[in-house]
Amino acid sequence: MHFPDDDNGQLLAEIAAAGIDLAQMHKIDFYILFEQKVDAEKFATAIAEDELSPATELVQCTDTGIWEVVTQVEMVPDHTLLGQTELYLESIANGYNGYGDGWGLMDGDDA
């Protein structure tokens, strides 16, 4: 399987090499970062009401103090769809002074 030569393509290639079936639905975590807790909370509330991504978690990085909203979307991890989802979430996050920090897929979603 061929993947585009960019960050998402590289991550998808690594996931495929680990034996994860990319043709199946998976829970993908998208990471959105905020300097201020109040901005992170506002974004988490807004995105939790979105049909695309009802599952969110707000955590603070103990090393940096940066607030992170982890937004989970169930989808087939397609390169184009991942990029579109990142752009969509970032477009909302930008209104709350947030910015995207990539995505991840945990092996064994049901674990």
Side-chain angles (χ1 to χ4, degrees):
M1 189 173 232
H2 176 73
F3 299 99
D5 186 20
D6 62 12
D7 290 342
N8 283 347
Q10 181 180 350
L11 188 51
L12 284 170
E14 292 171 7
I15 291 169
I20 296 173
D21 184 356
L22 297 179
Q24 300 293 319
M25 294 286 280
H26 293 279
K27 293 176 182 172
I28 310 292
D29 291 332
F30 291 87
Y31 306 99
I32 309 293
L33 304 181
F34 299 84
E35 298 288 332
Q36 303 296 319
K37 182 179 182 182
V38 67
D39 292 331
E41 290 171 335
K42 288 177 184 177
F43 171 78
T45 299
I47 203 65
E49 295 171 358
D50 191 294
E51 290 181 13
L52 173 70
S53 180
T56 63
E57 178 184 9
L58 174 63
V59 294
Q60 185 177 29
C61 177
T62 55
D63 294 334
T64 64
I66 297 289
W67 291 91
E68 178 178 73
V69 176
V70 181
T71 301
Q72 194 172 81
V73 179
E74 190 165 352
M75 62 191 289
V76 173
D78 170 76
H79 184 271
T80 300
L81 188 56
L82 285 164
Q84 291 171 341
T85 304
E86 282 183 304
L87 289 174
Y88 174 71
L89 293 171
E90 287 178 20
S91 73
I92 297 169
N94 288 340
Y96 300 100
N97 302 309
Y99 53 95
D101 192 37
W103 59 272
L105 184 156
M106 299 303 291
D107 187 11
D109 288 335
D110 298 325

